[in-house]
Amino acid sequence: MKAFYAFILLFVFSGAAAQQKDLPSVTLTDLDGKKIDFASFAKEEKPVIVSFWATWCGPCLKELAAIHDVYDEWQKETGVKLIAVSIDDAKSVKRVKPLVNGKGWDYTVLLDTNHDLKRAMNVVNVPFTAVIYKGKVVYKHTSYTPGVEKELIKQVKAAMK
């Protein structure tokens, strides 16, 4: 029972800390080779969902597929944008573009092959998903369970109020 309460406290404090962080300035590459400073997403007026994932991560692929099923509806309702940050390394990065094209994902996909952004945002495991609104991380979660996307859109809407 103590472990449960310790976990809850850790979760609450990590959520509070997440709400105070600014976006790190890390240059990433998109699938066309264009360089993008991650901090530029702080200028977005609409919420941004950032999903750290990898081609070898089954739960990551399930989460992105689940979001894909409702993404058009979310965009119409909230204007949210999803940035999928691949942490595939130099060996597996060549699988990213064919996978994204095969799945039909219309997300902005960025490559973090050196894990610079992953380290800057203290991402330990994937999937790691965060909601950013007006330059601040307002929500984050790790792992994937079916239905977690409902909590994600709930947090997007809450951030906009």
Side-chain angles (χ1 to χ4, degrees), residues 44-115:
E44 296 281 339
E45 288 295 318
K46 300 291 185 178
V48 176
I49 297 171
V50 179
S51 177
F52 285 81
W53 68 288
T55 56
W56 44 261
C57 172
C60 301
L61 301 178
K62 288 179 182 176
E63 181 175 45
L64 288 170
I67 293 171
H68 178 73
D69 291 343
V70 291
Y71 190 55
D72 285 342
E73 180 182 322
W74 288 7
Q75 284 192 304
K76 289 175 187 166
E77 190 174 347
T78 65
V80 70
K81 176 190 276 187
L82 191 139
I83 311 297
V85 179
S86 167
I87 62 160
D88 284 272
D89 62 14
K91 291 180 184 176
S92 60
V93 73
K94 62 184 174 239
R95 289 185 260 165
V96 172
K97 191 170 186 175
L99 188 143
V100 168
N101 290 338
K103 299 280 186 184
W105 294 340
D106 53 354
Y107 311 133
T108 299
V109 178
L110 301 177
L111 306 174
D112 187 22
T113 54
N114 294 326
H115 299 181

Side-chain angles (χ1 to χ4, degrees), residues 111-133:
L111 306 174
D112 187 22
T113 54
N114 294 326
H115 299 181
D116 294 335
L117 182 61
K118 181 182 171 212
R119 278 190 296 278
M121 292 195 62
N122 296 319
V123 175
V124 177
N125 292 319
V126 289
F128 174 93
T129 306
V131 175
I132 297 167
Y133 187 59

